[in-house]
Amino acid sequence: MSVLTRNEAQTRAQLLDVHRYTVDLDLTTGEATFDSTTAIRFTARTAGDTFVEIKPETLRSLSLDGQPLDPERLDGNRYPLDRLTAGPHELTVAATMRYSRTGEGMHRFTDPADGETYVYTQLFMEDVQRVFAAFDQPDLKSVFDLTVTTPTGWTVLGNGVSTQAADGRWHIAPTPPISTYLVAVAAGPWHSVTTQHAGLPFGIHCRRSLAPHLDADADEILDITRACYDRYHEKFDEPYPFDSYDQAFVPEFNAGAMENPGLVTFRDEFVYRSAVTDTERQTRAMVVAHEMAHMWFGDLVTLTWWDDIWLNESFAEYMGYQTLTEATRFTDTWTDFGVARKGWGYDADQRPSTHPVAPDPDAVPDTASALLNFDGISYAKGASALRQLVAWLGEKDFLAGINTHFSRHKFANATLADFIDNLATATDRDVHTWADAWLRTTGVDTLTAHVETSGHSWNLTVDRAGDRPHRVTVGTYDHSLDTHTGTDQLTLRDRFDIDIPQDGTPVTQPGHRPDLVVLNDHDLTYAKIRLDPGSWDTALTHLSGIPDPLTRALVWNTARDMVRDGELHPTVHLTAARTHLPYETDLALVQGVLGFAATQIADRYLPPQDRPTALATLTSLCRDLLRRTEGLTAKDWEQAPGTTTPGSPDPGLRLIAVRHFIDAATQPDAIQDWLREGTVPGGPELDAELRWRILTRLAVLGATDETAIAHELDKDPSATGQEGAARCRAALPTAEAKVAAWQAMFTDDTLSNYLFTATAQGFWQPGQSELLHPYVARYYPDAIALAARRGPAIAEAAGRHAFPAHAVDPDSIRLGEQALTDPALTPALRRKLTDQLDDLRRALAVRDAH
């Protein structure tokens, strides 16, 4: 199959104007394939040669302007259109297409809970070719008019309002001009909750087996949707540009969500079957806000080529967090961003695969290279850059520039140059120079504070390792005594803004030296922070006493970065977590810090002989959190989200503690008792997620068997149950279990994307290194062959989840470096292996540093 190059796309865009696609999909032809017929009306500006893309099972027929073409001329995914004459044309293509089981193209899923079948499209980048013929590039926008034939009893959702023309035959209202990758169809016996807002139909949809769980959260999801919709209309001059707003929670979805105009698709794990924390509800709300922002930035105005993908994702990421803070009850979203997302950007930006937020066009020569840039840089770093831009520019001027951008390019395409030029219309500041410094460069700056006392004042200077300008807030804090508890607290003394680089003159402040000086106190810039020695000592001993959770998040990120850079012993971070998390009130911080301590410090940064002690520390910490949350009643567990009484035990905090207690268990007795009794003493009762979590840990410890796994699967035969069973079976510490799991992942090619991931997650366990050692060498050739056979989605899963991440040793790194020289390595897997190997080197360096 040929990937589209930038040069080819530019040539085709100069030749063609594409006006309308009329697409007819027949989903009644069997379980393996469906029929697709497409008529494309377009104009050739001059005479010339071009091609149309399609990836059929069988190409049945083609005609151009009524004259038949030879299907045998299909070359991979390209059909040549030679010697086009200038003027209007109509191309008709009829094909049999294959359903996907990897979340790409037209994905087909049969729900094991009730036997119902669902299909949905994910057409991003170049997967529209798996569904119908297209001139597949983002700057050839067109109107799309779809008709879909389905089995009786199904409902069809699409980019526009869908109506049933006859039994099983549905017509979706034609779209405004949109890009090929944004076309969407979802068909099946959906459970739907519908309403009206601002004169438009709104709907949320899921498979029938999840209906009770969607109904339980329908008010919350729709309230957030309406609040974000209204807030965006306050911010943006252009109204919402489509005729409806549906949100479909679909099975086995590869991404978090996809911004199809009028039909956003989400992974259906966001329809919660089991108890979740309020932070997890906030994450779902942020994804709703993020995808809605795309309706303007990405859908109304679309990138011209994939080098500007950050324009879509960075904008939606920034706007999602900011709008959620302004319009909903989730007012601390930037704390969650700091602890859960920002590290993703920092990590990606320090690997050899890093790239600028806005890459040079030559760095994205084709669609295969473009696919690699959906990472922590395009999302988290880009959003951080925009947050810094707003701090530097001011929100009023920022929004004025954005609205100019929408007005000038609506229903069309735009580039980075267009975006910066439009911002420049709203301000006297030099945004072009700012963009060069922030968007065209790589790496993370480090800002280091130096504090000195001078008479009755103190001085602050900041060293900058890096080249970007920064506008930051400095927070100063002093010790104070809490008269109610008698404990030593930290109290905010002052906050002030400074520009970095400084002009060489220290910032002088009156009074004695503060006990704690925090650079970037509102976390408005993107940089690693280093505190002065006195402030760092205060932070380590009083971190839980810092009054603002966003400031605490920044300090925790500093500790995280120092561990990763070999400047702080991992056990010091673990001790700080043990000391301060029992007093932490922000769930996102507890969740994020515990996650880093468990998956990075215990599992990777400490040598194997120190891991049992680290797990014991985590277990002790979780026991403290469980004691802190004693006294919860059944009513507390059933209360409405976000209504916890201040000072009372938080069910979400207890849930986090229970999860991590299970994951850190080194002996099976306690969690076996929980599983047998069906409850944690003092709550919660075990739901499906907790039962599978316990069983997975028991499998790792060799304290369960196939009989118990099969029994649990009988109780929960859902898709999630199937994944839980696959994870447990792969985690069993027996040679037979590992052979079976490896065969399922790398040989028989029948696992869906989700079952592959679940099997991979169970397979590699840091406590099973001797049993797993032979598979480290097998991984590289088997993963390379698998990626070539099964495509980018499975390549991504193989590189992320099936990689031997706990094999922190020079031999594993050497094997990986040899694999990178294999010419059969696909771009998607090459990028994942490059990143994973760099993480192994970092983990090894952390171990060696101490």
Side-chain angles (χ1 to χ4, degrees):
M1 297 290 177
S2 299
V3 297
L4 183 69
T5 69
R6 180 192 186 96
N7 289 339
E8 289 172 329
Q10 289 175 335
T11 298
R12 189 162 62 177
Q14 290 167 0
L15 177 65
L16 301 182
D17 288 315
V18 186
H19 310 301
R20 191 179 192 91
Y21 288 78
T22 302
V23 180
D24 196 320
L25 303 176
D26 186 347
L27 309 181
T28 65
T29 60
E31 296 182 358
T33 62
F34 61 97
D35 285 351
S36 169
T37 303
T38 307
I40 312 174
R41 289 168 46 200
F42 64 98
T43 298
R45 296 194 186 101
T46 63
D49 300 335
T50 189
F51 56 90
V52 68
E53 290 111 325
I54 188 169
K55 298 177 181 178
E57 179 75 4
T58 304
L59 185 57
R60 299 198 306 270
S61 66
L62 305 91
S63 66
L64 181 64
D65 302 328
Q67 298 300 310
L69 303 176
D70 181 5
E72 294 300 320
R73 295 194 65 206
L74 180 67
D75 183 8
N77 62 324
R78 294 185 177 186
Y79 191 91
L81 299 175
D82 301 331
R83 297 183 296 277
L84 279 176
T85 58
H89 297 280
E90 181 167 319
L91 175 70
T92 302
V93 181
T96 299
M97 314 298 287
R98 180 162 291 277
Y99 288 114
S100 162
R101 290 292 284 120
T102 60
E104 301 158 296
M106 180 77 81
H107 184 84
R108 183 182 174 97
F109 170 86
T110 298
D111 193 338
D114 58 13
E116 298 283 9
T117 296
Y118 302 83
V119 302
Y120 65 87
T121 57
Q122 170 67 348
L123 306 187
F124 185 74
M125 192 66 75
E126 54 190 16
D127 283 336
V128 69
Q129 304 164 37
R130 295 171 178 255
V131 177
F132 58 86
F135 297 112
D136 191 13
Q137 59 191 72
D139 58 341
L140 288 178
K141 284 189 165 183
S142 179
V143 172
F144 290 85
D145 187 350
L146 273 69
T147 300
V148 185
T149 302
T150 71
T152 301
W154 282 22
T155 299
V156 172
L157 308 170
N159 298 106
V161 172
S162 61
T163 54
Q164 191 168 14
D167 188 27
R169 190 159 175 82
W170 296 75
H171 181 246
I172 302 169
T175 68
I178 62 173
S179 298
T180 50
Y181 77 91
L182 294 170
V183 176
V185 172
W190 302 108
H191 170 73
S192 301
V193 180
T194 60
T195 187
Q196 294 271 330
H197 183 66
L200 294 177
F202 278 29
I204 53 176
H205 315 269
C206 71
R207 49 194 162 103
R208 284 180 178 172
S209 65
L210 296 178
H213 308 293
L214 183 69
D215 288 347
D217 281 357
D219 287 346
E220 177 181 331
I221 296 169
L222 288 171
D223 284 348
I224 289 164
T225 303
R226 286 185 286 255
C228 291
Y229 182 92
D230 292 345
R231 185 63 179 141
Y232 285 136
H233 278 83
E234 294 171 0
K235 290 174 176 284
F236 305 150
D237 295 339
E238 290 292 330
Y240 174 73
F242 306 104
D243 71 358
S244 53
Y245 198 76
D246 286 299
Q247 298 172 100
F249 297 87
V250 299
E252 298 186 326
F253 198 67
N254 283 322
M258 178 64 198
E259 65 270 20
N260 313 301
L263 177 58
V264 178
T265 42
F266 297 80
R267 57 172 53 221
D268 66 10
E269 290 99 320
F270 284 130
V271 180
Y272 300 127
R273 298 171 67 238
S274 298
V276 293
T277 69
D278 210 41
T279 296
E280 288 164 319
R281 291 183 177 277
Q282 177 178 277
T283 297
R284 178 175 67 187
M286 194 287 296
V287 177
V288 169
H290 174 115
E291 302 306 327
M292 188 179 287
H294 273 308
M295 298 299 117
W296 286 265
F297 225 118
D299 296 358
L300 177 67
V301 180
T302 310
L303 46 77
T304 299
W305 180 247
W306 301 109
D307 55 322
D308 283 330
I309 191 62
W310 79 275
L311 279 173
N312 285 12
E313 299 305 340
S314 302
F315 180 87
E317 185 90 342
Y318 167 77
M319 199 59 69
Y321 279 98
Q322 184 63 29
T323 301
L324 205 64
T325 297
E326 297 168 355
T328 74
R329 68 180 178 86
F330 297 111
T331 56
D332 290 324
T333 60
W334 287 112
T335 299
D336 185 44
F337 177 82
V339 75
R341 298 290 274 186
K342 213 162 186 183
W344 181 31
Y346 290 148
D347 294 355
D349 214 6
Q350 295 174 83
R351 295 181 180 127
S353 62
T354 188
H355 57 88
V357 172
D360 187 275
D362 292 340
V364 190
D366 53 40
T367 52
S369 57
L371 194 60
L372 308 182
N373 287 347
F374 288 82
D375 56 14
I377 294 171
S378 293
Y379 287 77
K381 180 181 179 180
S384 299
L386 289 180
R387 196 166 190 231
Q388 172 66 186
L389 175 62
V390 173
W392 177 73
L393 200 62
E395 185 177 46
K396 180 180 177 182
D397 289 352
F398 174 73
L399 288 177
I402 291 296
N403 280 312
T404 297
H405 189 71
F406 293 156
S407 176
R408 288 179 173 177
H409 305 286
K410 60 183 177 182
F411 296 115
N413 301 82
T415 65
L416 168 63
D418 296 323
F419 177 70
I420 299 302
D421 286 347
N422 292 326
L423 285 178
T425 66
T427 180
D428 292 331
R429 288 184 177 268
D430 187 355
V431 292
H432 292 87
T433 298
W434 181 93
D436 287 342
W438 273 91
L439 305 180
R440 294 297 195 189
T441 59
T442 62
V444 186
D445 288 3
T446 301
L447 307 180
T448 302
H450 299 280
V451 178
E452 295 180 351
T453 300
S454 177
H456 297 290
S457 62
W458 61 278
N459 299 325
L460 170 68
T461 56
V462 180
D463 287 342
R464 177 188 60 163
D467 299 316
R468 297 188 189 101
H470 299 266
R471 178 76 168 169
V472 302
T473 298
V474 178
T476 61
Y477 299 83
D478 294 318
H479 289 298
S480 64
L481 184 67
D482 187 319
T483 56
H484 294 289
T485 63
T487 57
D488 187 12
Q489 300 290 316
L490 288 170
T491 302
L492 176 68
R493 180 199 295 186
D494 190 20
R495 283 193 175 110
F496 53 89
D497 294 337
I498 62 172
D499 289 309
I500 300 169
Q502 297 166 277
D503 61 7
T505 304
V507 176
T508 300
Q509 295 288 304
H512 62 84
R513 181 207 189 285
D515 295 308
L516 174 64
V517 178
V518 180
L519 296 178
N520 194 28
D521 194 32
H522 282 147
D523 203 20
L524 294 178
T525 199
Y526 173 85
K528 293 194 288 188
I529 301 301
R530 295 295 184 264
L531 307 182
D532 69 276
S535 293
W536 182 239
D537 290 342
T538 298
L540 280 179
T541 55
H542 290 79
L543 207 162
S544 54
I546 297 173
D548 189 336
L550 187 56
T551 307
R552 297 197 298 275
L554 185 136
V555 175
W556 277 117
N557 271 350
T558 295
R560 175 189 183 279
D561 292 336
M562 291 174 69
V563 170
R564 285 173 44 81
D565 291 345
E567 300 171 17
L568 183 70
H569 197 289
T571 57
V572 176
H573 186 288
L574 201 55
T575 299
R578 177 71 184 85
T579 301
H580 296 292
L581 286 190
Y583 306 99
E584 180 55 63
T585 58
D586 189 280
L587 295 186
L589 278 172
V590 177
Q591 203 161 282
V593 174
L594 266 177
F596 178 73
T599 62
Q600 298 301 313
I601 289 178
D603 288 356
R604 302 188 78 181
Y605 291 156
L606 290 174
Q609 63 269 24
D610 293 343
R611 186 168 182 269
T613 301
L615 293 179
T617 300
L618 290 172
T619 299
S620 179
L621 167 55
C622 291
R623 283 200 182 98
D624 277 356
L625 292 172
L626 290 172
R627 281 192 288 269
R628 175 179 158 188
T629 54
E630 288 176 347
L632 287 164
T633 66
K635 184 178 180 181
D636 293 323
W637 288 102
E638 296 169 0
Q639 67 187 348
T643 59
T644 302
T645 304
S648 65
D650 188 330
L653 182 61
R654 188 170 182 85
L655 182 59
I656 293 170
V658 167
R659 290 171 177 172
H660 280 275
F661 185 93
I662 293 167
D663 294 348
T666 55
Q667 298 297 322
D669 297 352
I671 59 176
Q672 275 180 329
D673 289 344
W674 293 0
L675 189 62
R676 184 171 52 253
E677 297 297 327
T679 187
V680 178
E685 293 185 2
L686 298 187
D687 53 30
E689 188 273 334
L690 289 176
R691 293 188 66 85
W692 282 116
R693 197 179 200 109
I694 290 174
L695 202 60
T696 300
R697 190 61 189 165
L698 292 175
V700 172
L701 297 174
T704 193
D705 55 22
E706 172 58 32
T707 300
I709 296 168
H711 176 70
E712 195 65 34
L713 186 57
D714 286 340
K715 294 170 62 177
D716 178 21
S718 68
T720 307
Q722 300 285 341
E723 294 155 27
R727 193 176 293 110
C728 288
R729 287 168 176 148
L732 290 168
T734 67
E736 296 78 11
K738 299 304 181 185
V739 167
W742 198 263
Q743 166 82 12
M745 286 190 290
F746 290 106
T747 303
D748 66 19
D749 289 356
T750 60
L751 290 183
S752 71
N753 49 338
Y754 271 38
L755 286 173
F756 180 96
T757 294
T759 304
Q761 289 169 335
F763 187 87
W764 295 106
Q765 299 294 333
Q768 299 175 353
S769 56
E770 184 174 341
L771 178 64
L772 295 171
H773 179 72
Y775 290 96
V776 175
R778 291 182 60 181
Y779 168 77
Y780 294 101
D782 288 2
I784 290 170
L786 179 75
R789 289 195 312 272
R790 301 201 66 191
I794 294 297
E796 163 75 13
R800 175 173 298 187
H801 302 290
F803 182 84
H806 305 119
V808 183
D809 60 74
D811 287 343
S812 179
I813 295 169
R814 177 181 52 79
L815 288 168
E817 290 171 342
Q818 290 175 353
L820 290 178
T821 66
D822 191 327
L825 197 58
T826 64
L829 185 59
R830 179 181 297 279
R831 168 65 185 273
K832 293 307 299 183
L833 294 186
T834 299
D835 290 349
Q836 292 278 28
L837 289 168
D838 190 65
D839 289 351
L840 284 185
R841 292 188 203 95
R842 183 178 289 272
L844 191 61
V846 169
R847 291 182 182 183
D848 291 344
H850 305 292

